[in-house]
Amino acid sequence: MKRGRIRGLLAAVLLTSSLWGGTSAYAASEIRVDGNQPAVSSAGIDISYDYAVWILQGENTITLYDIYDSRETKIGNKSSKKTEPKVDGEYVAWIDDRHGGADVYVYDIRKDRETRITSGRTEATQLELAEDKIVWVDERDGNVYLYDLKTGVEKQVSKSGKASSPTVSRSYVAWEDKRNKNSDIYYYDISREREYQATSKSANEGKPSLYDDQIIYEYDKGSDTDIHLYEIGRDRDDQLTDSSDDELMPHMNEDYFIYVEGNNLILGDVTRPSRASVIEKGIHSRIQPRIAGDFVLFVKRDRDDNLTLHMYDTEDEELVPIGGMGGEPSQPHGDDRYVVYINEAGKYTSVVLSDLEKRTSKIISQANRDASRPLVSSPYVVWFDDRDETLVAYNIRTGKLSAPIGGNDYPNPDMYELVGNHLLWVNDGRRQSIMLTDLSTGETEDLASLREQPLAIGINDEYAMWVTGGGRTSSIILYDLRRGREEEIRRNVDVKGAALGEDYVVWSEYSDSTNSYDLFYYDLYRQRSNSMIRWTDKDQINPQMSRNVVLFENNRLSGKSNAFYYELYDLDEDNFLDEPWSDDAEMEEVRMGGNRVVWIDTRGSKTGVYTGAFASPRDDDDDDNGGTQPDDYTDYDLMKSLTDEDFVDELVKYDISKVYFVFNVGTSKEKTLLFMEGLNDLDLFFKLFEESPADKVVIRAYH
């Protein structure tokens, strides 16, 4: 087969490709992906001695957070709207619209069971919960209802039809009532089944909060609003605040009470109310803060106008992390669709997986463990379990954890790399062994034994790489996974980092001629080495590689030998790429994977996980339960396409980033080449073409 006809086809496509969407250079800005403080909806928050609840922004499920284990559980279905979540004892209650109305639901934490409490035409609002008692106002008649979870009995406790803001304790229900035109506080004795009036002054009394037999409430006398406390057993009313400003939204637990003054959150003791003090400024005053035990839960608005959740420890007098992802992030890594990182909250560290497409994050590691160095390459996440001193794998598609390393092996906590289902790792036994584990089958192969720990390792679909030795005696070894054969591609050099991409090995090597560390690469298909960039002054070190893009540290323009900055270089295009991070980024722990760079950023007052993409993402099939289906793409026989006058018009209907050449299709030797890469590198295309029978070459276009 002559090359001319194929060149003609490629030239025709190249000519038409100016009309092909997506051929322009990829540009993306950085985004913050960690949940350092949960962004919540305005549906409400609550806290008890052991738990907190909230609803994340954009979600319908309720997050139940175990304060002391730093663990999250999702409650309720994903489709119906939920509001006013409350938690106390072993129960979570909320209002749910899944049946078209506004029903009350309850979740038993211990039994992991959800129950619908109301039925029919209930229009519940202003729900509260205390131990096994739930109260709400039914908007149909404006009265307060009480439900006892132990007896399963629902009871109407107000009769005025003008009740609001109910609150409940073990023995009483209290509420605001406008039966006398102005607002008064009424309460209901549950055991006596009798209603009483607590306040009857000319001022408006409202927004009560009940703890045991004490009712704290707003006292609006017209000129300003103060906080008062009514004790049921003593029939006594005391004024707790006397500022000329409005004190609003009181809530109490035991002897402590909180309220809002302006945008300040104030904490006081009912036995010494004059000593109340501000614990936080700038809170969001439209969502009531809640207090229980040693903690206060409240909401603020961040600079992006999101509602963020915060928790204050009254004993230690400081803000503390809230949410399983609310701790200190570190050790990030990324793939096209996902970012993983370590979250340190409380006594343990956990692995957080962020789905950039769905904009969700979740903890995927087990509770009460210590995890480190997570890596993600769809469909797997792998990390080191510090307690068991082994590697753990998580399947994104199935949500299952596994231990892929045998009990008699000792994986090095810093020497493992992941690409798809291939896990390359170093076994710290009597000798340093390079091991390859197929996570989909569990099979492990011993590739090589070394005298000492390698300086670096890497893997792609066809090769493994490692660096041996040290100082000026380092060697770079390339291992062909298909042939089971290793080759020394560089020897007796001083290496400052090495990485393996899809088509290249790249490393930093000390050069006597320049007295600096310079970057070199080895082309896997052309089997030759060359310097990566034209200028060689100063140091370029610690290269990382994903796809065929290199991320490296450079001090050429910094003016100081120890002041390095990051740069991106595309080996295929032989040029530098625009950085996907902003000028004010303060980058630490920088990694790359898939089409993105991820890093820990210390700008501002809070550390965060950031990412920026340097290329378009490739197809991800993590939602289709097992991979690409036959009708997800169309194969065009290359040889038939050469004589089809309409083929170019047909092909340009597809997204160029989803079109590939496939060689040796359907065989164990199958290889793929991105269509545009083939157009830009005809030597590589014809090399792969000549290794494949002509009838085994197709153009594959994904839909």
Side-chain angles (χ1 to χ4, degrees):
M1 177 70 194
K2 293 185 177 180
R3 295 189 176 194
R5 192 179 300 175
I6 297 178
R7 288 183 185 274
L9 170 67
L10 299 182
V13 175
L14 187 61
L15 180 64
T16 313
S17 65
S18 60
L19 305 176
W20 202 335
T23 59
S24 60
Y26 183 79
S29 59
E30 65 180 29
I31 58 172
R32 180 168 177 163
V33 298
D34 67 297
N36 191 267
Q37 297 294 341
V40 298
S41 73
S42 59
I45 60 175
D46 196 24
I47 191 169
S48 67
Y49 286 93
D50 299 312
Y51 300 99
V53 291
W54 61 83
I55 297 174
L56 288 175
Q57 179 179 298
E59 289 192 5
N60 287 320
T61 56
I62 295 170
T63 300
L64 172 66
Y65 175 67
D66 188 313
I67 294 172
Y68 296 99
D69 286 344
S70 299
R71 299 296 297 177
E72 295 181 1
T73 303
K74 296 295 185 180
I75 297 173
N77 64 17
K78 297 180 179 180
S79 56
S80 64
K81 181 180 179 181
K82 300 167 186 64
T83 57
E84 302 183 41
K86 298 295 186 293
V87 61
D88 199 44
E90 293 297 321
Y91 299 101
V92 179
W94 68 92
I95 296 171
D96 199 305
D97 75 350
R98 73 182 71 179
H99 298 290
D103 286 309
V104 177
Y105 275 73
V106 67
Y107 174 80
D108 188 313
I109 299 172
R110 183 174 55 85
K111 295 180 180 180
D112 187 23
R113 185 171 64 194
E114 177 185 299
T115 305
R116 182 184 178 188
I117 298 301
T118 59
S119 59
R121 300 180 179 177
T122 301
E123 291 294 335
T125 186
Q126 303 178 46
L127 179 143
E128 285 289 344
L129 167 70
E131 297 186 10
D132 54 10
K133 306 290 194 299
I134 308 174
V135 293
W136 66 89
V137 171
D138 194 321
E139 290 189 327
R140 294 175 302 166
D141 62 9
N143 284 311
V144 176
Y145 288 79
L146 167 69
Y147 186 89
D148 190 316
L149 288 166
K150 283 188 176 180
T151 64
V153 175
E154 178 184 318
K155 183 181 298 184
Q156 181 179 333
V157 298
S158 76
K159 299 179 181 179
S160 68
K162 296 182 179 181
S164 62
S165 303
T167 179
V168 63
S169 68
R170 181 185 303 175
S171 303
Y172 301 97
V173 179
W175 65 91
E176 175 184 337
D177 202 303
K178 291 186 176 180
R179 69 183 70 178
N180 299 319
K181 294 186 179 180
N182 65 309
S183 299
D184 298 310
I185 304 298
Y186 283 74
Y187 70 91
Y188 177 87
D189 188 313
I190 297 174
S191 62
R192 295 182 180 182
E193 299 183 345
R194 183 177 174 181
E195 177 191 279
Y196 299 87
Q197 184 172 358
T199 64
S200 58
K201 299 175 183 177
S202 59
N204 285 308
E205 298 109 3
K207 303 295 190 297
S209 173
L210 181 62
Y211 180 79
D212 283 347
D213 64 347
Q214 300 181 94
I215 307 172
I216 194 171
Y217 63 94
E218 294 179 3
Y219 182 85
D220 181 4
K221 57 182 182 287
S223 59
D224 64 275
T225 301
D226 297 319
I227 305 298
H228 280 231
L229 177 69
Y230 177 82
E231 296 183 63
I232 295 174
R234 301 171 63 184
D235 190 26
R236 174 177 172 176
D237 189 274
D238 294 317
Q239 182 174 342
L240 299 182
T241 68
D242 59 1
S243 169
S244 59
D245 294 323
D246 290 334
E247 291 91 38
L248 306 171
M249 306 178 73
H251 192 247
M252 73 177 299
N253 180 260
E254 299 181 2
D255 288 335
Y256 288 100
F257 70 102
I258 56 173
Y259 61 92
V260 176
E261 185 178 86
N263 289 322
N264 294 330
L265 178 59
I266 298 176
L267 171 68
D269 187 322
V270 295
T271 64
R272 295 173 293 178
S274 63
R275 298 185 181 183
S277 60
V278 176
I279 60 173
E280 186 68 12
K281 297 180 179 180
I283 76 162
H284 181 66
S285 58
R286 294 187 180 181
I287 298 179
Q288 184 182 37
R290 311 284 288 190
I291 182 172
D294 295 329
F295 300 104
V296 178
L297 195 65
F298 61 94
V299 169
K300 300 181 74 171
R301 280 198 182 275
D302 65 12
R303 61 184 180 183
D304 297 319
D305 211 32
N306 296 312
L307 298 175
T308 57
L309 194 62
H310 301 261
M311 188 162 69
Y312 180 86
D313 188 323
T314 60
E315 184 174 347
D316 293 337
E317 299 183 347
E318 64 180 5
L319 291 173
V320 293
I322 174 69
M325 294 164 286
E328 193 74 13
S330 64
Q331 304 176 47
H333 190 254
D335 196 15
D336 288 27
R337 176 172 170 176
Y338 301 100
V339 169
V340 292
Y341 61 93
I342 291 295
N343 182 72
E344 185 174 355
K347 297 184 294 184
Y348 302 102
T349 58
S350 53
V351 179
V352 177
L353 173 67
S354 292
D355 186 328
L356 302 179
E357 182 177 306
K358 295 183 177 180
R359 298 185 179 181
T360 60
S361 296
K362 62 181 178 180
I363 294 174
I364 58 175
S365 56
Q366 292 178 305
N368 303 332
R369 315 283 285 207
D370 277 319
S372 62
R373 200 176 180 268
L375 303 177
V376 58
S377 180
S378 182
Y380 289 99
V381 181
V382 172
W383 64 87
F384 189 80
D385 186 307
D386 294 329
R387 192 180 78 175
D388 291 344
E389 297 184 340
T390 192
L391 294 173
V392 176
Y394 174 84
N395 189 315
I396 297 173
R397 295 173 183 168
T398 65
K400 293 182 178 180
L401 292 170
S402 62
I405 308 302
N408 296 323
D409 293 320
Y410 303 93
N412 187 292
D414 301 311
M415 284 287 166
Y416 54 94
E417 296 296 336
L418 176 68
V419 57
N421 62 325
H422 290 145
L423 173 63
L424 187 72
W425 53 284
V426 175
N427 191 7
D428 285 344
R430 293 182 178 179
R431 298 176 66 88
Q432 302 285 321
S433 298
I434 306 292
M435 314 292 287
L436 178 65
T437 297
D438 188 328
L439 296 176
S440 64
T441 65
E443 296 180 355
T444 295
E445 181 182 359
D446 190 335
L447 302 186
S449 293
L450 310 179
R451 294 181 178 179
E452 55 190 355
Q453 179 178 307
L455 302 178
I457 62 173
I459 187 169
N460 63 21
D461 290 330
E462 299 181 29
Y463 294 93
M465 178 277 301
W466 55 87
V467 181
T468 63
R472 290 178 173 266
T473 63
S474 298
S475 295
I476 302 176
I477 307 299
L478 187 65
Y479 185 94
D480 189 318
L481 298 175
R482 183 182 58 181
R483 298 177 180 177
R485 184 183 306 168
E486 68 178 61
E487 175 188 2
E488 187 178 51
I489 60 173
R490 197 70 167 169
R491 65 183 304 177
N492 294 330
V493 290
D494 183 355
V495 173
K496 201 82 166 180
L500 175 62
E502 290 185 344
D503 300 320
Y504 307 94
V505 180
V506 64
W507 66 93
S508 174
E509 174 185 320
Y510 187 80
S511 173
D512 290 325
S513 61
T514 62
N515 293 319
S516 63
Y517 284 94
D518 304 322
L519 293 175
F520 294 82
Y521 71 90
Y522 177 85
D523 189 314
L524 298 177
Y525 294 99
R526 295 185 176 89
Q527 298 181 356
R528 64 188 184 197
S529 300
N530 206 344
S531 60
M532 195 182 86
I533 46 185
R534 294 176 179 84
W535 38 260
T536 56
D537 55 325
K538 297 293 184 69
D539 295 319
Q540 296 81 48
I541 61 173
N542 298 327
Q544 301 180 50
M545 197 170 192
S546 186
R547 306 285 166 81
N548 289 321
V549 174
V550 183
L551 172 73
F552 64 96
E553 297 175 47
N554 196 358
N555 67 356
R556 177 171 175 259
L557 302 177
S558 67
K560 296 181 180 180
S561 61
N562 61 349
F564 286 87
Y565 54 92
Y566 290 95
E567 292 201 274
L568 283 172
Y569 191 86
D570 188 330
L571 266 175
D572 281 336
E573 300 297 328
D574 194 22
N575 60 27
F576 286 90
L577 297 180
D578 292 335
E579 293 120 358
W581 52 84
S582 63
D583 291 338
D584 64 344
E586 297 180 13
M587 304 167 68
E588 299 178 357
E589 302 184 56
V590 184
R591 297 292 306 275
M592 73 185 310
N595 70 325
R596 65 186 54 259
V597 179
V598 293
W599 66 94
I600 298 296
D601 203 301
T602 58
R603 78 185 81 173
S605 59
K606 293 183 178 178
T607 301
V609 179
Y610 283 72
T611 185
F614 55 79
S616 300
R618 293 178 179 172
D619 280 346
D620 189 280
D621 56 8
D622 289 339
D623 286 334
D624 64 12
N625 297 319
T628 303
Q629 302 302 315
D631 57 356
D632 285 337
Y633 59 83
T634 300
D635 281 346
Y636 296 91
D637 185 285
L638 178 63
M639 306 312 295
K640 293 180 180 178
S641 301
L642 298 178
T643 58
D644 185 348
E645 295 180 354
D646 298 323
F647 175 69
V648 173
D649 293 334
E650 172 71 15
L651 195 60
V652 296
K653 295 178 182 179
Y654 295 96
D655 182 347
I656 189 173
S657 67
K658 298 181 179 180
V659 180
Y660 297 82
F661 289 109
V662 184
F663 306 90
N664 285 300
V665 63
T667 73
S668 61
K669 299 180 180 180
E670 183 174 299
K671 292 183 179 180
T672 61
L673 177 66
L674 193 63
F675 194 88
M676 289 304 295
E677 291 183 10
L679 295 185
N680 293 326
D681 193 340
L682 291 180
D683 288 340
L684 175 58
F685 169 84
F686 282 113
K687 179 180 184 298
L688 295 174
F689 178 79
E690 290 167 357
E691 293 176 352
S692 174
D695 61 351
K696 293 292 184 181
V697 182
V698 301
I699 297 174
R700 177 167 296 172
Y702 284 88
H703 301 157

